[in-house]
Amino acid sequence: MPELPEMETYKVLLEQIIGGQMITGVVINREKSINVPIEEFTRKVLHQKIESIERRAKYVIFRLQNGFCLLLHLMLGGWMYYGTKEEQPDRSIQVQLSFQDHHLYFIGLRLGYLHLHTPEMIWRKLQHLGPEPLDPNFSLDAFFSIFQNRRGGLKTTLMNQEVLSGIGSRYSDEILWHCQLHPKRRINELEPSGLVRLYGSIQSILQLAMQHGGYMDPLYRDDHKTGGYQMFVHGVEGKNCSRCGNMIVKADKMYFCQQCQL
């Protein structure tokens, strides 16, 4: 599932290629991928200029000229591709937004969706989310105020979107490997120095992943920005840890090094 680095990469690239452009065509192949009847969706989206594109947690928000918004969550297996009809991926496409002779294809939205909302509905839907971990205002003090009284496991807490937004299973594993903490370790067992390391690793791993465009496939044919991040631990069980050389293992859907994560 794409997480903060992937959705931020998508947001930046989409701003560059479709920001300010008018939607000239709408195709809905799977009505369950939207939240209103196809006719209403098309009427409110067609011929609207994309005023801005934002990201919040794992969501991307397309703000339209008429005041409505499209809220995208790719969930598990969802992705996007932008190109001409000739470049269309050989995959089942649930939603297509056209921009003259180029199209933004939404693919794999079995659980994901592209919903039409008012700004007020967006605010209500996202108000439960915790702070953005890379927000300049999310200081070490702010982190301590959230984490120092919690008692849950490290991985499950990092993935809790009401605690911090945008981190999922993949980057929680990467973060905990980076700060050398076991994913099942409980927060209340950590010394303040451990929390400091955890905060630093959240910043370092997410920024590193964003610098390399996350792990997702490219957004368009000549996209050299996306998909350059190489995982240290997630999904690489059986390989040697790049820090200590011990084997990476997987247990209870958690990837970690048994030797250097304590």
Side-chain angles (χ1 to χ4, degrees):
M1 180 186 294
E3 301 177 28
L4 187 157
E6 290 72 43
M7 300 312 287
E8 181 67 20
T9 301
Y10 273 148
K11 185 212 79 168
V12 170
L13 293 177
L14 289 169
E15 282 180 326
Q16 295 172 2
I17 59 180
I18 65 171
Q21 289 199 38
M22 180 178 291
I23 299 170
T24 58
V26 176
V27 177
I28 308 296
N29 296 318
R30 183 177 184 271
E31 192 164 5
K32 289 183 178 180
S33 297
I34 60 176
N35 62 323
V36 296
I38 293 176
E39 296 78 9
E40 179 183 352
F41 187 95
T42 302
R43 185 176 69 253
K44 291 179 177 177
V45 171
L46 188 62
H47 304 311
Q48 292 301 313
K49 183 186 295 184
I50 295 183
E51 292 284 316
S52 65
I53 302 173
E54 304 166 10
R55 180 195 59 79
R56 178 73 171 100
K58 302 177 189 178
Y59 299 87
V60 166
I61 304 164
F62 302 84
R63 295 194 182 273
L64 306 180
Q65 186 178 16
N66 60 3
F68 283 95
C69 302
L70 295 175
L71 180 67
L72 171 69
H73 198 312
L74 292 175
M75 301 291 283
L76 186 65
W79 59 292
M80 288 180 282
Y81 189 82
Y82 177 82
T84 63
K85 188 69 174 177
E86 292 71 30
E87 297 167 336
Q88 176 180 329
D90 185 21
R91 292 283 301 277
S92 177
I93 294 166
Q94 286 73 48
V95 180
Q96 173 185 318
L97 300 181
S98 297
F99 302 87
Q100 300 298 336
D101 59 347
H102 282 69
H103 316 280
L104 182 59
Y105 301 105
F106 297 86
I107 303 161
L109 297 183
R110 295 182 300 277
L111 299 174
Y113 53 81
L114 185 68
H115 284 179
L116 181 71
H117 290 303
T118 64
E120 294 76 19
M121 293 165 67
I122 295 278
W123 181 85
R124 288 198 297 270
K125 187 172 182 64
L126 304 185
Q127 65 176 331
H128 70 285
L129 293 172
E132 291 280 336
L134 296 182
D135 190 307
N137 295 320
F138 187 62
S139 63
L140 180 59
D141 287 341
F143 176 79
F144 262 81
S145 69
I146 292 173
F147 276 75
Q148 64 183 354
N149 294 320
R150 302 194 72 88
R151 303 179 62 84
L154 286 174
K155 182 178 173 73
T156 55
T157 301
L158 287 176
M159 291 175 58
N160 185 339
Q161 298 301 292
E162 295 184 7
V163 177
L164 283 181
S165 62
I167 300 173
S169 181
R170 187 178 298 265
Y171 288 106
S172 59
D173 284 338
E174 296 289 286
I175 288 164
L176 293 170
W177 174 86
H178 188 268
C179 63
Q180 298 181 253
L181 292 171
H182 195 284
K184 287 189 175 181
R185 188 93 173 266
R186 303 191 73 80
I187 294 174
N188 57 299
E189 297 173 354
L190 296 183
E191 298 292 333
S193 60
L195 285 174
V196 171
R197 293 203 331 263
L198 178 58
Y199 173 81
S201 293
I202 290 170
Q203 305 290 310
S204 296
I205 287 294
L206 294 180
Q207 289 173 359
L208 179 65
M210 285 169 51
Q211 289 168 12
H212 291 277
Y215 75 91
M216 295 284 285
D217 291 333
L219 179 62
Y220 54 91
R221 186 182 61 185
D222 298 322
D223 168 18
H224 303 295
K225 166 70 175 174
T226 328
Y229 180 78
Q230 299 297 313
M231 298 289 159
F232 292 105
V233 62
H234 186 91
V236 297
E237 73 272 23
K239 295 186 178 180
N240 294 333
C241 172
S242 60
R243 181 169 48 221
C244 72
N246 201 58
M247 186 177 292
I248 300 297
V249 299
K250 179 185 179 183
D252 299 325
K253 300 181 180 180
M254 303 176 184
Y255 296 85
F256 57 94
C257 174
Q258 295 181 99
Q259 181 69 29
C260 63
Q261 286 181 253
L262 305 174

